[in-house]
Amino acid sequence: MELNACIKGRRSIRLYQDKSAPKEIVEKILNAGIWAPSGMNSQPWRFVVIENRDIINKLSKRTKEILSKMPWPTDILQKYAKSEKDTIFYDAPLLILLCVPKKEEWRQVNILDCGLAAQNMFLTAYQEGLGSCFIGFGWYLNRDPAFLADLGVPADHEVIAPMIFGYPAEDPKPKSRELRILKWIS
Ligand SMILES: Cc1cc2nc3c(=O)[nH]c(=O)nc-3n(C[C@H](O)[C@H](O)[C@H](O)COP(=O)(O)O)c2cc1C
């Protein structure tokens, strides 16, 4: 796919077909992630790949429990934490948690590195016919290290980029973008 079409065509997908992605495609997505640039080539990313829908639903439930204790407006809590639907990982067939070793002095760099890896993964998924979505709510799982440990995230690691993937069952319209230039000096 032409790069510009890929960048502009990718959308966050929140409704998925009941169909898993072939292993070769999942591997292709993971490999696209590791070709991102990283600060001092540290390549901090570690991946947890979850293809089991029951486990993904369990993660959604745990995230909701954590969210429901947040001091947020009632309508937000109602929409995301208290809904019967899977408003966190959207019942997706594939969840990838991009994790890094916890190192306070590297945190800002690690977050950027994972963001770059995530976009490589989203674009590759889109090129392969898969939808995807970054799930910031997934960060709240970091508040339950014991739960994460059961998923293979050691206590000295944290989740930076929770991402869902799958064949889309929706075709959302693009949200408009604005190019805001503070100043262009030539
Ligand atoms: C850091 C980050 C966190 C996000 N967290 C969530 C989330 O928790 N739930 C969700 O449905 N979408 C989430 N999104 C997706 C954004 O809502 C989406 O990218 C944005 O609305 C633009 O739409 P597009 O990706 O289709 O272009 C997140 C995106 C980013 C980059």
Side-chain angles (χ1 to χ4, degrees):
M1 189 187 291
E2 196 261 322
L3 181 61
N4 198 40
C6 191
I7 289 172
K8 290 191 176 164
R10 179 216 55 83
R11 293 277 70 76
S12 290
I13 298 298
R14 299 178 178 88
L15 192 62
Y16 292 95
Q17 296 175 36
D18 187 10
K19 180 179 161 191
S20 45
K23 190 155 192 252
E24 318 80 77
I25 295 188
V26 179
E27 282 171 350
K28 202 168 176 183
I29 291 170
L30 294 169
N31 278 297
I34 65 172
W35 278 95
S38 60
M40 293 182 79
N41 192 28
S42 60
Q43 302 181 35
W45 34 67
R46 312 283 186 267
F47 300 84
V48 172
V49 180
I50 307 170
E51 294 182 295
N52 180 315
R53 264 193 156 130
D54 291 339
I55 295 180
I56 296 173
N57 287 336
K58 213 171 118 191
L59 265 80
S60 287
K61 287 201 178 104
R62 184 67 195 115
T63 307
K64 282 181 177 182
E65 282 169 11
I66 299 170
L67 292 184
S68 64
K69 297 196 180 87
M70 302 305 294
W72 292 347
T74 325
D75 55 329
I76 301 283
L77 289 177
Q78 200 62 43
K79 186 170 174 194
Y80 293 103
K82 301 198 172 148
S83 164
E84 290 295 306
K85 289 189 194 154
D86 182 354
T87 46
I88 306 298
F89 297 120
Y90 301 105
D91 208 20
L94 170 63
L95 169 66
I96 298 180
L97 303 174
L98 202 36
C99 310
V100 299
K102 280 185 204 162
K103 268 191 201 156
E104 202 41 50
E105 65 282 16
W106 277 89
R107 195 155 190 269
Q108 196 175 349
V109 182
N110 284 346
I111 291 171
L112 281 171
D113 294 343
C114 287
L116 293 163
Q119 179 69 346
N120 274 7
M121 295 168 73
F122 291 149
L123 294 179
T124 302
Y126 180 60
Q127 189 181 41
E128 296 297 329
L130 263 72
S132 62
C133 190
F134 194 109
I135 304 295
F137 278 140
W139 291 320
Y140 288 87
L141 288 170
N142 285 313
R143 293 178 180 224
D144 188 350
F147 187 83
L148 284 179
D150 282 345
L151 296 166
V153 183
D156 58 353
H157 284 53
E158 67 178 318
V159 178
I160 302 287
M163 293 170 280
I164 52 173
F165 298 88
Y167 289 100
E170 64 168 352
D171 183 15
K173 286 205 179 73
K175 290 173 184 161
S176 66
R177 262 46 175 188
E178 276 179 48
L179 179 59
R180 300 187 189 102
I181 296 173
L182 282 181
K183 196 166 181 165
W184 185 320
I185 303 171
S186 31

